[in-house]
Amino acid sequence: MFDLIDECGKDLAMCGYETVELSRYNVTSSKLFVESKKQAKSLGFDMGHYFIINAPRLDLLMWEHKSLLEDEILKRLSFLFEKNKISRKSKVLVVGIGNPKIVADSFGVKSVEKIPIMPYSKRNRIFKIMPNTFSNTGLNAYDMIRLIVEWFGVDWVLIFDSLATTNIERLGCSVQFNDAGLTPGSAMNNFGLPINRSTLNVPCISIGVPMMISSRVFGEKREVIFTEKDAEEKIDFLSTLVAEVVEKLL
């Protein structure tokens, strides 16, 4: 199972995959719209609109990328909001998937922590949850999210998560966002239940960053999950970046 749609091993150009190079730092922005069940089955991904930003020089010029990436993420997320008829008056549940005690798996929690809410205001319409992992809680993230969506009449769900990649050079250097939702733990073969419009009956937008790679990518039989030594710094930067963009839209 793959987290990044452009690592699925298929000829994406035949499916309408497009990539454009932005003005600086060799940053590229790609998009793929999976609009039929047949296409979704072929790719192994759910139907939806997918965007991926790749920033290969993020290691060297991290904060110099901020304004460029901000503008691009804001533009793409605005498109997803419009496609899913999401307004500023909608009730949203913001979800941080992952184990905050493991650096490589903490992007979801770190991002959600940085999104402000007004819990004591009667006008508050932003709810946050960080369900941790099933192995730590015995509770499936999907079940918790579904209960909150139904009980509080949530209009849409925004999910953040660390992803896995098959290319070591993409660790902490890509951002994927879509309105197809996600399946927690899918790339590590630890399948949770899908969190998407089909299972929750509300739009689900997900934002993920690849922070993990399996030793099996390098031909090892025993699976070990690797990350990079500056993972904490990258997660701090990227979680701050996406949280600030999301705050502008909520």
Side-chain angles (χ1 to χ4, degrees):
M1 183 69 181
F2 303 93
D3 276 342
L4 296 169
I5 197 167
D6 58 358
E7 293 184 355
C8 67
K10 306 292 183 179
D11 183 1
L12 296 183
M14 298 292 291
C15 302
Y17 183 76
E18 296 178 2
T19 298
V20 295
E21 187 166 336
L22 305 184
S23 55
R24 288 170 288 167
Y25 311 126
N26 303 118
V27 176
T28 61
S29 179
S30 305
K31 69 177 182 180
L32 178 64
F33 296 169
V34 182
E35 298 179 313
S36 71
K37 291 182 179 179
K38 181 179 179 181
Q39 190 180 40
K41 185 177 180 180
S42 171
L43 297 175
F45 281 80
D46 290 328
M47 293 173 57
H49 305 87
Y50 292 80
F51 296 98
I52 299 180
I53 296 174
N54 291 307
R57 299 180 66 190
L58 200 66
D59 287 321
L60 302 174
L61 301 164
M62 190 172 296
W63 290 94
E64 287 87 341
H65 282 68
K66 191 169 186 292
S67 62
L68 175 65
L69 296 180
E70 251 179 0
D71 291 344
E72 188 63 20
I73 293 173
L74 181 63
K75 180 166 56 175
R76 300 309 185 190
L77 281 179
S78 296
F79 172 88
L80 293 179
F81 278 39
E82 183 178 344
K83 276 287 184 181
N84 289 277
K85 298 181 172 59
I86 294 170
S87 75
R88 291 182 180 270
K89 296 180 180 180
S90 304
K91 281 186 181 180
V92 56
L93 176 62
V94 184
V95 183
I97 300 291
N99 187 342
K101 293 183 178 180
I102 299 175
V103 171
D105 199 26
S106 66
F107 169 75
V109 172
K110 295 291 186 184
S111 299
V112 172
E113 285 177 340
K114 294 172 182 177
I115 296 174
I117 61 174
M118 298 183 292
Y120 301 108
S121 170
K122 292 182 179 180
R123 294 179 297 172
N124 182 52
R125 52 182 182 74
I126 304 171
F127 307 98
K128 301 198 300 187
I129 182 174
M130 292 160 274
N132 209 300
T133 56
F134 178 78
S135 60
N136 286 342
T137 65
L139 297 170
N140 193 291
Y142 165 77
D143 291 325
M144 287 187 273
I145 294 167
R146 179 179 59 83
L147 288 170
I148 295 171
V149 168
E150 293 178 356
W151 184 262
F152 290 98
V154 169
D155 298 305
W156 66 287
V157 176
L158 176 61
I159 317 157
F160 297 86
D161 196 10
S162 294
L163 308 178
T165 178
T166 59
N167 182 347
I168 197 168
E169 294 183 359
R170 297 186 72 177
L171 287 171
C173 293
S174 298
V175 183
Q176 176 172 269
F177 37 106
N178 61 61
D179 56 4
L182 57 78
T183 301
S186 59
M188 294 295 112
N189 299 317
N190 181 22
F191 294 96
L193 293 172
I195 302 168
N196 56 38
R197 183 191 283 267
S198 296
T199 60
L200 294 178
N201 296 315
V202 296
C204 296
I205 292 177
S206 71
I207 301 175
V209 172
M211 295 303 308
M212 296 171 279
I213 189 167
S214 170
S215 59
R216 290 181 178 170
V217 171
F218 310 111
E220 297 290 334
K221 292 182 179 180
R222 179 171 175 239
E223 186 170 35
V224 178
I225 305 303
F226 295 109
T227 190
E228 53 185 344
K229 65 179 182 179
D230 63 346
E232 191 167 7
E233 185 181 4
K234 280 188 175 178
I235 286 175
D236 180 59
F237 169 74
L238 290 167
S239 61
T240 298
L241 175 71
V242 297
E244 289 179 359
V245 173
V246 166
E247 186 181 353
K248 292 177 182 178
L249 292 170
L250 295 182

